[in-house]
Amino acid sequence: MPTYDLVNFTVTQFKVFLLVFFRMLGLMVLAPFYGSTSIPRQVKILLALLLSLILFPIVRNSFSPPDNLGLYFYLVAEETLIGILIGFVGLLLFAAVQMAGFIIGQEIGIAMANVFDPITSQQTSIVGQLKFLTAVLFFIMLEGHLWLLAAMAASFKLIPLGCA
């Protein structure tokens, strides 16, 4: 397998790299822990760039990007949506935990006591926020953020570039 040079990318390699980057960027938008509003956008973009550099050697020989610019922009949108979808699936778990906490708060009678959630920039119930933060703590303790990145790397084999 030929090596690649980070300085001397060919146009084809750069197009493939951008597709990998946009899939990773889509993940960084909604994924639990990575998609938090408390993480600055510049950090998310830099993390997506670094992860794309790591994943690029795995993907680059399996796809030849089209020369048509319109079709290429379609592929960029497609890869971004795949990343967003993977992040959304992870986010659903945390939304379910927060909703369960809200229902528990309703049942025990403290539904009117709300707090401001800096992650979602919305008012949430105290019990829902407690359950959400506990779920985030367990997510990090169980290395869920690393499992999410491993799932993202595996997504390039399950859904190859340009095949969705």
Side-chain angles (χ1 to χ4, degrees):
M1 183 162 87
T3 61
Y4 71 100
D5 185 10
L6 290 177
V7 178
N8 298 321
F9 266 10
T10 64
V11 173
T12 303
Q13 287 176 333
F14 187 69
K15 285 181 178 180
V16 172
F17 174 77
L18 279 180
L19 291 176
V20 173
F21 172 70
F22 277 103
R23 188 182 287 195
M24 293 305 296
L25 196 60
L27 176 76
M28 295 297 155
V29 170
L30 279 183
F33 181 73
Y34 298 112
S36 171
T37 57
S38 61
I39 298 175
R41 290 183 193 133
Q42 295 89 346
V43 173
K44 292 178 189 179
I45 291 170
L46 182 64
L47 185 60
L49 183 68
L50 292 174
L51 291 172
S52 299
L53 284 172
I54 292 169
L55 290 175
F56 175 68
I58 299 169
V59 180
R60 70 183 169 96
N61 289 331
S62 64
F63 178 70
S64 176
D67 290 330
N68 184 351
L69 192 61
L71 184 58
Y72 183 74
F73 281 137
Y74 171 76
L75 289 177
V76 166
E78 181 180 271
E79 295 302 321
T80 305
L81 286 175
I82 290 171
I84 288 172
L85 182 66
I86 292 171
F88 181 71
V89 168
L91 189 65
L92 280 179
L93 175 70
F94 288 94
V97 168
Q98 196 165 19
M99 185 64 174
F102 175 76
I103 292 171
I104 291 170
Q106 289 277 57
E107 292 295 319
I108 62 175
I110 58 171
M112 296 302 288
N114 288 335
V115 294
F116 181 73
D117 180 13
I119 295 173
T120 61
S121 300
Q122 296 177 357
Q123 294 283 333
T124 59
S125 71
I126 292 175
V127 179
Q129 186 68 8
L130 176 68
K131 298 287 184 190
F132 177 77
L133 292 175
T134 305
V136 169
L137 178 67
F138 278 116
F139 181 73
I140 294 170
M141 279 180 16
L142 297 173
E143 298 178 348
H145 59 294
L146 300 177
W147 284 96
L148 190 61
L149 293 179
M152 192 63 176
S155 77
F156 287 103
K157 292 184 181 176
L158 293 174
I159 309 170
L161 290 176
C163 289

